[in-house]
Amino acid sequence: MGPLIYRQSIWTRLTHWIWAVCLFFLLLSGLQIFNAHPALYIGQQSGFEFDNAVLEIGAIDTPAGPRGRTRVFNAEFDTTGVLGLSGTGERPRFQAFPGALTIPSFRDLATGRVVHFFFAWLLVGTLLVWLVASLVNGHLKQDILPRTADLKVLPKDVLNHTRFRLAHGPRYNPLQKFSYFMVLFGLFPLIILTGLAMSPGMNAAWPWLLDLFGGRQTARTIHFGAMLLLVLFFLVHIGMVLVAGPLNELRSMVTGWYRTSPGAHPDSEERS
C-alpha cells in the first residue's frame, strides 16, 4: 500500500460535485423539454413540409393497440414500455421519455425550462470558477492539458485500462488527461454554445451562433448528441471509479487525500 498524498484541491472537489448535481438536473429537465417536441432535425426549420428529421420518438396505432415507436433516420424500432409509450395498460403514458426520467415527473414544460436554465447558468459559473482556480493552483497544467509525452504513451495506457491494469499515481494518467480535456474543453463548451443558439435573445445578440451550427434545429440536435456523450462519459467514469477502487477514489474527491500505489514517486506522473 502506497502513501497518502493530497491530490485534489478544495476547488477541484467543490466544482466536481456541483457539476455532478448540475448535470443530473440538466439531463432530466432537458428530457422534459425534449418531450414537448420529441423530434430532432438538421437545418434551420422543421414541420410537416420538411423531411429533415433524424430522430423521432412517439406512438402509433396498430391492430394490437398503441405501440411506442422510435425512428432514427429511416430505421424504425418498437420501443413500447420505454420510449414513446410507457406506464401501465390501465394508465398508458404517451410521451417520448417516461416520467421517471424527467424533472418534473409529470408534463410541465415551464417548470422544466426554469430548472434547466437555473442549473445551466450554475454550471457555467462553476466552470469559470474552476478555470480560474485551476490556472492559479496549476491543476490545469499538471493534470488536464495533455503533453506530447502523454500522446506517446496513450495507446499503451488505453490497453492497460482495457485489461484493468491500473496504477495509482500522484497525477492523472494520460487517458484521464485526454478524457477530462475533451469533456472540459470540448463537450462543455459545445453543449453551452448550442444551448445558447436555441435562445431567440441570443440569436438577436449573436446571430453568428446560428451560422456556426447551421441553424437552430441543427444546434438542438448537436445539443442532444452532446448530452448523450456526456451520459456515456459519466457511465464510463463511474465504471472506472469502481474498478480503480471506489473508496480511494471517493475519499480523494471528498477529502483530497489519495492512496497511491506502492513505490509511486510523489512528484512523478502516473504511468500504468
Side-chain angles (χ1 to χ4, degrees):
M1 184 178 294
L4 274 175
I5 62 166
Y6 189 73
R7 177 160 136 161
Q8 309 289 5
S9 74
I10 181 63
W11 296 108
T12 302
R13 289 177 278 140
L14 184 63
T15 53
H16 172 271
W17 293 115
I18 293 177
W19 291 341
V21 172
C22 286
L23 292 177
F24 173 81
F25 282 97
L26 283 170
L27 171 62
L28 272 61
S29 61
L31 296 183
Q32 168 76 234
I33 297 171
F34 178 86
N35 276 351
H37 186 80
L40 297 173
Y41 308 90
I42 295 296
Q44 180 63 260
Q45 297 176 303
S46 63
F48 292 112
E49 65 271 30
F50 299 97
D51 184 22
N52 57 345
V54 296
L55 171 68
E56 292 178 290
I57 303 176
I60 59 173
D61 287 325
T62 72
R67 307 291 297 177
R69 185 198 67 168
T70 297
R71 186 165 72 92
V72 182
F73 293 100
N74 293 322
E76 291 191 359
F77 306 92
D78 187 329
T79 52
T80 305
V82 183
L83 302 178
L85 174 60
S86 54
T88 63
E90 293 75 21
R91 300 186 62 182
R93 302 192 67 171
F94 296 93
Q95 59 188 39
F97 288 95
L101 296 179
T102 66
I103 291 179
S105 60
F106 49 89
R107 292 199 181 204
D108 188 344
L109 176 60
T111 301
R113 285 177 178 268
V114 170
V115 172
H116 200 74
F117 294 156
F118 172 79
F119 283 99
W121 285 115
L122 181 59
L123 176 69
V124 171
T126 309
L127 277 170
L128 293 176
V129 170
W130 173 85
L131 182 60
V132 172
S134 297
L135 282 169
V136 173
N137 63 24
H139 175 59
L140 182 64
K141 179 180 179 181
Q142 293 176 335
D143 299 319
I144 303 299
L145 296 179
R147 297 179 301 180
T148 304
D150 298 313
L151 184 61
K152 292 180 179 177
V153 298
L154 182 61
K156 180 182 177 182
D157 198 36
V158 172
L159 183 61
N160 284 336
H161 277 79
T162 60
R163 295 175 177 175
F164 302 119
R165 294 177 179 174
L166 308 180
H168 302 84
R171 300 294 181 194
Y172 293 176
N173 59 56
L175 185 57
Q176 284 178 301
K177 282 187 174 183
F178 275 90
S179 57
Y180 296 160
F181 179 82
M182 292 303 297
V183 169
L184 290 164
F185 294 97
L187 282 180
F188 276 171
L190 182 64
I191 208 165
I192 291 170
L193 289 175
T194 51
L196 291 174
M198 289 183 280
S199 164
M202 291 304 301
N203 294 163
W206 293 354
W208 54 267
L209 264 181
L210 286 180
D211 297 333
L212 178 65
F213 293 112
R216 183 179 297 178
Q217 295 303 327
T218 304
R220 184 168 177 259
T221 299
I222 296 174
H223 193 74
F224 190 89
M227 176 273 292
L228 293 179
L229 291 176
L230 281 176
V231 171
L232 177 62
F233 168 79
F234 171 79
L235 294 176
V236 173
H237 180 61
I238 295 299
M240 293 311 301
V241 167
L242 294 176
V243 171
L247 294 180
N248 192 30
E249 299 290 334
L250 188 61
R251 176 179 54 207
S252 171
M253 291 312 299
V254 173
T255 68
W257 290 95
Y258 183 76
R259 176 76 68 185
T260 59
S261 297
H265 192 280
D267 295 325
S268 66
E269 294 190 15
E270 179 176 346
R271 291 289 183 269
S272 53

